[in-house]
Amino acid sequence: MIYLDNAATSFPKPTEVLNAVNKSFILYGANPGRSGHNLSINTAMEVYSTREKLNSLFDGYGSEFVSFTQNCSYALNMAIKGVLKKGDHVIISSLEHNSVLRPVFKMTSRGEITSSVFVVTHDTEETLNNLKNEIRENTKLIIVTAVSNVFGDILPLREIAEIAKESNILFFVDGAQGAGLIPIKMKKIGINCLCIPGHKGLLAPMGIGAILHDGCIEETIIEGGTGSESFNYLQPVGFPDKLESGTLNVPAICGLKKGVEIVLNYGVENIFKEETALMKFMFNELSNMRKVILYRSEYDEKMKAPLIAFNIKGFHSEEVSAYLNENSVAVRGGYHCSPLAHKTYGTEDVGAVRISPSRFTTKKDVNYVLNLLQKFAKNKNM
Amino acid sequence: MIYLDNAATSFPKPTEVLNAVNKSFILYGANPGRSGHNLSINTAMEVYSTREKLNSLFDGYGSEFVSFTQNCSYALNMAIKGVLKKGDHVIISSLEHNSVLRPVFKMTSRGEITSSVFVVTHDTEETLNNLKNEIRENTKLIIVTAVSNVFGDILPLREIAEIAKESNILFFVDGAQGAGLIPIKMKKIGINCLCIPGHKGLLAPMGIGAILHDGCIEETIIEGGTGSESFNYLQPVGFPDKLESGTLNVPAICGLKKGVEIVLNYGVENIFKEETALMKFMFNELSNMRKVILYRSEYDEKMKAPLIAFNIKGFHSEEVSAYLNENSVAVRGGYHCSPLAHKTYGTEDVGAVRISPSRFTTKKDVNYVLNLLQKFAKNKNM
């Protein structure tokens, strides 16, 4: 099987990551922060060193401001509901995933907050003007994805951060697709909160994510045992505990530590460069196929992460992805939990086929898929 | 090392469970419910069959009413905040963990709800009367732990369920310590919602829990991508998706499936019987040690799960647990995220040493610990 669905979850995981997970069942098998025995303390130290790695990779505000979550969606809910109060206004981009859209839309539909969507185009100036036009007196937060999960657009984080800072607005980033693929430097850029999954670009098993922040998260949505301040009937106010109730996913955290090490050693820039070379080649080949729609005139790697969304004229994206699956190629077709993105690109009717590579993807894989797509278009013509 | 901290997390995990986790990285490595390719579909089927196993073990209301969470605390937050509305009254027991106490106390302290605590004693009739005395016109929910995480008390779930039913009150159970150790039959007993961890009695890796319910969970606290109803700006209302946003912890779910199979095959009753025999032996030996406080006059296995909380007169529980740790025995001392339980038993000053065995614990282990404790008491005497 050729697996090109890495934007859903990266597969396979590096052997080093799997080894780290396996080792954790022996060396870090106790509940961290709960007991005082060696196995528990060793586990807590391993968990802490994973916080340090993440803090380093993302230029965060300190390891205590890294809390682990089940996934990026949980982190985003904690972030959004952690700062938005009654009467606040929030601005999101037109490429947001349901993990941002649904919590925001729920709060909006209940009249708790107001919200606006600014349209992202291929013209950065236009995009930033669209954003500026939505800022109001009571705008508390701007939240955008680093990379569109469907179309791969890289959002101008630095410029958005500047706009947010000028107006004293919090700036949060959904790193679901960006983490491990494009450099995201929180302090340098001016990001107050970054939410990430472990299981995509950071190569960890499914079931782990994190919220990194500068201390701005006031409110909690989950409270419970933290192993700290046992006699406090209220959730502790100190981080990371405040955002970590109940037992952590230690095996995945140990895998994540190794995944982050791999990314740090290899370099995010190099990962981006390699995958971009492959996707650029594929994009150019696809653009020569008459019936293929690519949703952009050229491959501008400054504005595009290495994944390709396309359709074949006359077919629903799911027909194409099913055909590829029959031929042992795993991609995602249909809709991608991002209704705003499909509206922005006008693909509400057919969805999109998404090709998302990893460091394990080869040019041979890409050529195999290109051949299949050529056959598909040809056969369906007859 | 002799590991007797299984109430925090069971260790080691059975080889079959670890094999299932490892197999999942190959066979079930895609994101379930997100894509239409074989790897994703196979993963979704494996996840679904884990729902079926849990539904079967706990006599639930159907596999679609089993949603996976990061841990039991998350499940409890989803349950409590999923039904309590402004003006409601909730009753909790005096043995609740912070994962129940903190969400309830937060809502109470903000004036959103009112709440009462009923005291659990060693006299079931008295306990039930205490509960009945707290019922009010606006009582919406009774929530109790199946087993005290500190002192091992088994709560009279059947009788409480009857009382709840008579008054048309929802009855939720925190299965953190009970799941896999005592039989919990939801339909048979009349439990509307059961929250469980995977990593304790069900032998799965850390990072997985579940909420089982009868459809009563109205409100969500987390919204996001569910892989379903992509174009719905609001969280889908159908279960299990409504309570499952973002990527699931697939490796741990695969491990959990195997863990539940082991428990089902071996029989919860047999696990209880074996561990009870060990703990009863230990209890009786400890009760012969002059300085040991055991917090109950006799070992009544109908009212007590196989774990022992004790102290040694004149010492803080953490001194005892540290001594055991120095001698390669892992137990939990201090406080156990259960301030109400410590108050109920009057151990706010010293905490408690907790011995919690697993199916891997032997009589030899128990004797080794008994010897150490005898030495501790003797040496400290001199």
Side-chain angles (χ1 to χ4, degrees):
Chain A
M1 182 194 58
I2 295 173
Y3 183 83
L4 293 167
D5 193 17
N6 291 280
T9 195
S10 54
F11 175 86
K13 305 300 177 192
T15 312
E16 303 97 304
V17 168
L18 299 185
N19 288 345
V21 171
N22 274 314
K23 218 175 77 174
S24 82
F25 290 121
I26 310 300
L27 297 182
Y28 311 116
N31 208 326
R34 293 308 188 270
S35 306
H37 55 77
N38 293 354
L39 193 63
S40 175
I41 289 169
N42 292 344
T43 306
M45 284 168 66
E46 187 70 2
V47 169
Y48 200 83
S49 80
T50 311
R51 296 188 210 280
E52 291 177 325
K53 296 270 177 207
L54 285 172
N55 185 61
S56 162
L57 178 60
F58 294 113
D59 186 29
Y61 298 88
S63 305
E64 69 272 32
F65 296 114
V66 180
S67 288
F68 293 107
T69 61
Q70 177 178 321
N71 54 41
C72 192
S73 305
Y74 275 68
L76 285 163
N77 274 267
M78 289 176 178
I80 293 167
K81 294 165 185 172
V83 299
L84 289 181
K85 297 209 173 99
K86 200 160 173 60
D88 285 338
H89 175 246
V90 57
I91 304 173
I92 68 174
S93 92
S94 66
L95 296 176
E96 296 314 299
H97 186 270
N98 274 336
S99 52
V100 167
L101 178 61
R102 282 180 173 166
V104 165
F105 189 72
K106 181 185 168 189
M107 294 177 86
T108 306
S109 67
R110 293 181 178 197
E112 293 162 19
I113 58 163
T114 51
S115 55
S116 308
V117 176
F118 75 98
V119 177
V120 178
T121 72
H122 292 176
D123 175 343
T124 301
E125 214 183 301
E126 189 180 22
T127 299
L128 297 174
N129 279 330
N130 290 344
L131 166 61
K132 283 180 196 160
N133 286 337
E134 297 301 339
I135 294 177
R136 300 182 195 168
E137 279 268 311
N138 63 334
T139 303
K140 173 85 171 279
L141 171 67
I142 297 168
I143 178 161
V144 305
T145 188
V147 170
S148 163
N149 71 305
V150 194
F151 297 95
D153 310 64
I154 298 176
L155 273 79
L157 299 185
R158 187 179 302 270
E159 292 85 345
I160 296 174
E162 273 168 24
I163 293 169
K165 203 177 173 188
E166 272 167 25
S167 303
N168 204 20
I169 296 169
L170 289 169
F171 178 41
F172 288 7
V173 171
D174 171 5
Q177 298 302 329
L181 204 55
I182 63 167
I184 305 179
K185 301 290 181 188
M186 293 182 73
K187 280 195 309 218
K188 202 172 166 193
I189 295 177
I191 298 168
N192 300 97
C193 178
L194 170 69
C195 298
I196 57 153
H199 66 103
K200 297 184 178 183
L202 300 183
L203 313 170
M206 289 181 270
I208 193 70
I211 174 170
L212 295 88
H213 58 97
D214 62 0
C216 61
I217 309 297
E218 293 171 26
E219 190 58 73
T220 56
I221 50 175
I222 307 272
E223 301 86 34
T226 52
S228 57
E229 301 183 25
S230 245
F231 272 85
N232 186 350
Y233 286 19
L234 288 171
Q235 189 75 352
V237 295
F239 296 108
D241 296 13
K242 180 175 173 177
L243 300 178
E244 284 181 354
S245 292
T247 300
L248 292 173
N249 185 356
V250 171
I253 290 171
C254 295
L256 178 58
K257 181 183 168 185
K258 185 51 75 178
V260 174
E261 279 171 6
I262 292 171
V263 169
L264 278 167
N265 289 340
Y266 203 75
V268 174
E269 290 80 0
N270 293 321
I271 295 169
F272 182 86
K273 218 158 106 182
E274 278 186 20
E275 293 186 17
T276 291
L278 267 181
M279 287 300 100
K280 211 167 175 175
F281 165 74
M282 188 171 205
F283 183 94
N284 291 334
E285 292 295 310
L286 284 171
S287 65
N288 291 330
M289 294 188 198
R290 206 168 45 88
K291 293 195 144 198
V292 170
I293 315 165
L294 281 163
Y295 303 103
R296 57 188 74 227
S297 50
E298 52 171 359
Y299 195 110
D300 179 355
E301 61 190 65
K302 281 193 193 117
M303 295 179 67
K304 183 159 167 43
L307 65 83
I308 293 175
F310 72 95
N311 272 300
I312 296 183
K313 260 175 222 152
F315 301 97
H316 194 281
S317 62
E318 283 182 345
E319 290 176 80
V320 181
S321 60
Y323 169 81
L324 290 175
N325 181 50
E326 283 158 26
N327 289 280
S328 301
V329 176
V331 301
R332 183 164 174 185
Y335 306 102
H336 300 252
C337 298
S338 297
L340 295 182
H342 285 290
K343 277 193 183 165
T344 303
Y345 277 93
T347 57
E348 300 110 307
D349 49 347
V350 291
V353 185
R354 180 183 66 186
I355 305 267
S356 53
S358 78
R359 57 202 284 270
F360 296 112
T361 309
T362 63
K363 197 161 182 181
K364 198 177 150 197
D365 296 337
V366 170
N367 277 321
Y368 179 80
V369 177
L370 286 167
N371 263 326
L372 281 175
L373 291 173
Q374 240 154 356
K375 266 188 216 161
F376 177 86
K378 198 174 159 194
N379 288 343
K380 296 282 178 177
N381 263 346
M382 297 196 315
Chain B
M1 182 193 56
I2 295 175
Y3 183 85
L4 293 168
D5 193 17
N6 291 279
T9 195
S10 54
F11 176 84
K13 306 300 178 191
T15 312
E16 304 96 303
V17 169
L18 299 186
N19 288 345
V21 171
N22 274 315
K23 219 175 76 175
S24 82
F25 290 120
I26 310 300
L27 297 181
Y28 311 115
N31 208 326
R34 295 306 189 273
S35 305
H37 54 77
N38 293 353
L39 193 64
S40 174
I41 289 168
N42 292 344
T43 306
M45 285 168 67
E46 188 69 4
V47 169
Y48 199 83
S49 81
T50 311
R51 296 187 209 281
E52 290 177 327
K53 297 270 175 206
L54 284 172
N55 186 61
S56 162
L57 177 61
F58 295 112
D59 187 29
Y61 297 88
S63 305
E64 70 272 33
F65 296 114
V66 180
S67 288
F68 293 107
T69 60
Q70 177 177 320
N71 54 41
C72 192
S73 305
Y74 275 68
L76 285 163
N77 273 268
M78 288 176 178
I80 292 166
K81 295 166 186 172
V83 300
L84 288 181
K85 297 208 172 100
K86 200 161 173 59
D88 285 339
H89 176 245
V90 57
I91 304 174
I92 68 174
S93 92
S94 66
L95 297 176
E96 296 314 300
H97 186 270
N98 274 336
S99 52
V100 167
L101 178 61
R102 282 180 174 167
V104 165
F105 189 73
K106 180 184 167 188
M107 294 176 85
T108 306
S109 67
R110 292 182 179 195
E112 293 162 19
I113 60 164
T114 50
S115 54
S116 307
V117 177
F118 75 98
V119 176
V120 178
T121 73
H122 292 177
D123 176 342
T124 302
E125 214 182 301
E126 190 181 21
T127 299
L128 297 173
N129 279 332
N130 290 345
L131 166 61
K132 282 179 196 159
N133 286 338
E134 298 301 339
I135 294 178
R136 302 182 193 167
E137 279 268 311
N138 63 333
T139 304
K140 173 84 172 281
L141 171 67
I142 297 168
I143 178 160
V144 305
T145 189
V147 169
S148 163
N149 69 306
V150 194
F151 296 96
D153 310 63
I154 298 176
L155 273 80
L157 299 185
R158 188 179 302 271
E159 292 84 346
I160 296 173
E162 273 168 24
I163 293 170
K165 203 177 172 187
E166 273 167 23
S167 302
N168 204 22
I169 296 170
L170 289 170
F171 178 41
F172 289 6
V173 171
D174 171 5
Q177 297 303 328
L181 204 54
I182 63 167
I184 305 178
K185 302 288 182 189
M186 292 183 72
K187 280 194 310 218
K188 203 172 167 193
I189 295 177
I191 297 168
N192 300 98
C193 178
L194 171 68
C195 299
I196 57 153
H199 67 104
K200 296 183 179 183
L202 300 182
L203 312 171
M206 290 181 269
I208 193 72
I211 174 170
L212 294 88
H213 59 98
D214 63 359
C216 61
I217 309 297
E218 292 170 27
E219 190 58 72
T220 56
I221 50 175
I222 307 274
E223 302 85 33
T226 52
S228 56
E229 301 183 26
S230 244
F231 272 86
N232 187 350
Y233 285 20
L234 288 171
Q235 189 75 351
V237 295
F239 296 107
D241 295 13
K242 181 175 172 177
L243 300 178
E244 285 180 353
S245 292
T247 299
L248 292 172
N249 185 355
V250 171
I253 290 171
C254 295
L256 178 58
K257 182 183 168 185
K258 185 51 74 178
V260 174
E261 279 172 7
I262 291 171
V263 170
L264 279 166
N265 289 341
Y266 203 76
V268 174
E269 290 80 0
N270 293 321
I271 294 169
F272 182 87
K273 219 158 104 181
E274 279 186 19
E275 293 186 15
T276 290
L278 267 182
M279 287 300 99
K280 211 168 174 173
F281 165 74
M282 188 170 205
F283 183 94
N284 291 336
E285 293 294 311
L286 284 171
S287 63
N288 291 330
M289 295 188 199
R290 206 168 45 88
K291 293 197 143 196
V292 169
I293 315 165
L294 281 162
Y295 303 103
R296 57 188 74 228
S297 51
E298 53 170 0
Y299 194 110
D300 179 354
E301 62 189 65
K302 280 190 193 118
M303 294 180 68
K304 183 158 167 45
L307 64 84
I308 293 176
F310 72 95
N311 272 300
I312 296 184
K313 260 176 222 152
F315 301 97
H316 194 281
S317 61
E318 283 181 346
E319 290 176 80
V320 181
S321 60
Y323 169 80
L324 291 175
N325 180 51
E326 282 158 25
N327 289 280
S328 302
V329 176
V331 302
R332 183 167 174 182
Y335 305 102
H336 300 252
C337 298
S338 296
L340 296 182
H342 286 290
K343 277 193 183 168
T344 302
Y345 277 93
T347 57
E348 299 111 307
D349 49 347
V350 290
V353 185
R354 182 183 65 186
I355 305 267
S356 54
S358 77
R359 57 202 285 269
F360 296 111
T361 309
T362 64
K363 198 162 181 179
K364 198 176 151 197
D365 296 337
V366 170
N367 277 321
Y368 180 80
V369 177
L370 286 168
N371 263 326
L372 281 176
L373 291 173
Q374 241 154 356
K375 268 189 216 160
F376 177 86
K378 198 173 158 195
N379 288 344
K380 297 281 177 177
N381 263 346
M382 297 194 316

